[in-house]
Amino acid sequence: MAAIYSLYIINKSGGLIFYKDYGLQGRMDTNDSLRLASLWHSMHAISQQLSPIQGCSGIELLEADTFDLHCFQSLTGTKFFVVSEPGTQNMENLLKHIYELYTDYVLKNPFYEMEMPIRCELFDINLAQAVQKERVSYLGR
Amino acid sequence: MQFFGGSEISPSPPVPTASGNNAHMMYIFNRNGVCLLYREWNRPLRTLNSNQDHKLMFGLLFSLKSLTAKMDPSSAEKGNLGVPQLPGQGCSFHSFRTNTYKLSFMESPSGIKIILVTHPKASDLRDSLKYIYNLYVEYVVKNPLYTPGTPIRSELFNTTLDQYVRGERNIWYTRVDMLLISKPASEILLLCDASFELFSPKGYRVASFICLILDKCIHA
C-alpha cells in the first residue's frame, strides 16, 4: 500500500522536468505525463485569476475522488506536486524536503542545465530515501 | 450517491460551515456551460468582467476534471486526456484549496455543476452542496414557469439560498454565548427544557441548539 502514487516537478514555463511513479498502475505514457504537467501549470495560473481575494498563489491541494494532489511552488516558479492517497497528512513537509533535495543535488550540480529534465543520480538516490522514509512513517501510524 | 430524496428538502440541512463572512461566491452551471446562477456575498477582488469570469470558471472545472480523470491512480483504463466525459464517468474532484480560498464542487447526474467558493479553512462542504442541490430541485426545477437552461430568477430560491449560506445558526451561536455568560449551568438546563417547547416545529434548530448548550455546559 503506497501512500504516494507519483511525483512531478515542472519548471516555470510548465515543462515537465521530472516524473516518478510509485503506484501499482505503472508508468504513464511520456506524452500524457507532459500534457498533464502543462495542464496543471495552466490550471494553477487560472486558479489565481479567479481568487476573490488579493494575493492568491495558486492551488495547494486538490481533493479528487481517488487521490489528493499537493502542490508546492518555489519562489522561482518551479512547481513540485505529489499525487497521494486521499487524506494523507504531512505532504507539505515532504514537498519542502524534496525542494531542498532539488536545490542541493540538482541546482548545485555543475552539469545540470536550468529548466531541462533532471538526470542526477544523487537526487534520485536521496529522493528514493525520502519517499521510503515517508512510507515507513505512514505505515507506522 | 442519492440525489433524489423525495419531495421534502433534506429534513436536516447540514450545518453551513460556509456561514457568515466565510462564503465568497457561488456558481451554478448546466451541462452546456451556461451560468444559471451567480451569487456573490463577499468578493473584494474582481479581475475580469462577469461573462469572462463565468467562462473561465467553467473552463477551469472542465479541465481539472479531465486532469483528475487522467491522473486517477486506481484504474488503468483512462482514455485520452481532454476527451469530454459524461457526468459521473471517470474520476472527478470535490474541492481544491489555495492560500486565499477553497472551492467546493459538485456535479449532479444531469450535469448541473454547483460551485461554492469559501474561506480556505472551511471544512468538507459536500453535504452543504447536496443540500443546495436539493434547494435547486425544489425551487427551480419544480417551478412550472422556469425554462430549463435559462438563468435562474426565482426570488424564493435566492432568499432561501442566502439564508442558508449566511447561516441562521450564527444568530443562535451568539444567543447561546450571551446566555452562557450571564447564567449558571442549572438555569441553562431549565432553559433547554423551555426551548424544546418554544421551537419544536423547527426540529433541527432545536437539536443543534441543545447540543451546543450541553456541549458548553460540559466544557464550562
Side-chain angles (χ1 to χ4, degrees):
Chain A
M1 185 52 92
I4 299 161
Y5 293 123
S6 47
L7 165 74
Y8 300 74
I9 302 177
I10 52 183
N11 64 17
K12 59 176 175 242
S13 40
L16 185 68
I17 55 172
F18 188 85
Y19 164 58
K20 189 110 185 136
D21 204 292
Y22 302 98
L24 304 169
Q25 293 299 330
R27 214 179 144 82
M28 198 185 292
D29 185 61
T30 313
N31 284 331
D32 280 339
S33 58
L34 284 168
R35 272 191 221 117
L36 272 187
S38 48
L39 183 59
W40 179 253
H41 180 77
S42 23
M43 293 305 108
H44 200 268
I46 290 177
S47 72
Q48 294 174 16
Q49 287 256 310
L50 286 167
S51 170
I53 298 174
Q54 207 105 41
C56 182
S57 57
I59 305 178
E60 289 170 354
L61 165 67
L62 172 76
E63 292 177 293
D65 299 340
T66 55
F67 65 90
D68 276 6
L69 192 155
H70 293 258
C71 181
F72 168 73
Q73 188 178 20
S74 75
L75 285 174
T76 48
T78 312
K79 279 187 271 292
F80 298 76
F81 57 101
V82 283
V83 178
S84 65
E85 261 182 283
T88 316
Q89 304 291 311
N90 205 27
M91 282 295 122
E92 284 78 14
N93 291 337
L94 177 74
L95 283 171
K96 289 203 177 118
H97 184 61
I98 293 173
Y99 176 51
E100 268 174 44
L101 296 178
Y102 167 77
T103 51
D104 280 348
Y105 298 108
V106 180
L107 294 185
K108 290 178 188 171
N109 182 338
F111 300 106
Y112 174 69
E113 267 184 82
M114 286 298 286
E115 318 295 332
M116 294 310 261
I118 298 170
R119 283 195 199 85
C120 301
E121 202 185 332
L122 273 177
F123 179 66
D124 287 342
I125 294 167
N126 284 282
L127 181 70
Q129 269 174 8
V131 171
Q132 189 61 36
K133 220 163 112 188
E134 184 64 33
R135 208 176 278 179
V136 168
S137 73
Y138 174 78
L139 287 175
R141 250 174 264 140
Chain B
M1 221 189 284
Q2 169 129 30
F3 286 101
F4 311 103
S7 59
E8 85 279 6
I9 303 166
S10 169
S12 54
V15 184
T17 31
S19 60
N21 300 322
N22 283 346
H24 290 298
M25 57 237 191
M26 193 181 114
Y27 300 81
I28 298 182
F29 292 101
N30 74 359
R31 64 163 169 260
N32 299 325
V34 179
C35 185
L36 301 181
L37 181 90
Y38 171 69
R39 304 261 330 147
E40 183 177 295
W41 293 284
N42 172 25
R43 187 175 191 179
L45 176 68
R46 225 179 254 102
T47 45
L48 300 162
N49 71 41
S50 66
N51 196 17
Q52 283 177 318
D53 180 71
H54 300 161
K55 274 189 200 165
L56 197 64
M57 178 56 85
F58 188 80
L60 175 70
L61 297 168
F62 183 90
S63 313
L64 273 182
K65 256 194 79 181
S66 51
L67 180 112
T68 51
K70 186 72 199 172
M71 223 171 228
D72 181 13
S74 65
S75 78
E77 276 306 306
K78 280 174 283 203
N80 284 324
L81 182 67
V83 174
Q85 289 186 311
L86 293 170
Q89 208 179 37
C91 173
S92 182
F93 71 103
H94 57 84
S95 73
F96 71 75
R97 177 167 59 76
T98 74
N99 57 341
T100 54
Y101 68 97
K102 173 175 174 162
L103 183 145
S104 311
F105 166 73
M106 187 199 94
E107 189 173 28
S108 82
S110 55
I112 297 289
K113 292 182 176 67
I114 301 180
I115 296 103
L116 193 59
V117 179
T118 56
H119 189 272
K121 292 260 160 60
S123 57
D124 195 338
L125 292 174
R126 273 180 278 187
D127 287 341
S128 302
L129 286 177
K130 232 181 263 181
Y131 179 71
I132 291 172
Y133 179 70
N134 280 338
L135 288 180
Y136 164 80
V137 171
E138 224 34 53
Y139 294 126
V140 179
V141 178
K142 291 187 182 172
N143 182 346
L145 296 176
Y146 175 69
T147 328
T150 56
I152 298 166
R153 291 191 210 290
S154 160
E155 199 53 47
L156 192 58
F157 178 66
N158 285 345
T159 45
T160 327
L161 187 69
D162 274 4
Q163 263 176 13
Y164 175 63
V165 174
R166 286 207 185 121
E168 277 175 281
R169 256 179 73 107
N170 267 13
I171 306 164
W172 289 98
Y173 269 115
T174 42
R175 279 191 196 161
V176 170
D177 280 338
M178 279 169 61
L179 202 140
L180 288 173
I181 293 164
S182 55
K183 307 272 190 222
S186 56
E187 277 185 48
I188 289 166
L189 283 174
L190 279 176
L191 276 165
C192 289
D193 285 344
S195 63
F196 257 126
E197 280 160 28
L198 274 175
F199 310 112
S200 49
K202 317 253 176 181
Y204 77 93
R205 278 197 221 158
V206 174
S208 59
F209 183 67
I210 302 287
C211 287
L212 245 172
I213 291 179
L214 290 178
D215 202 42
K216 290 238 171 183
C217 283
I218 291 162
H219 290 293

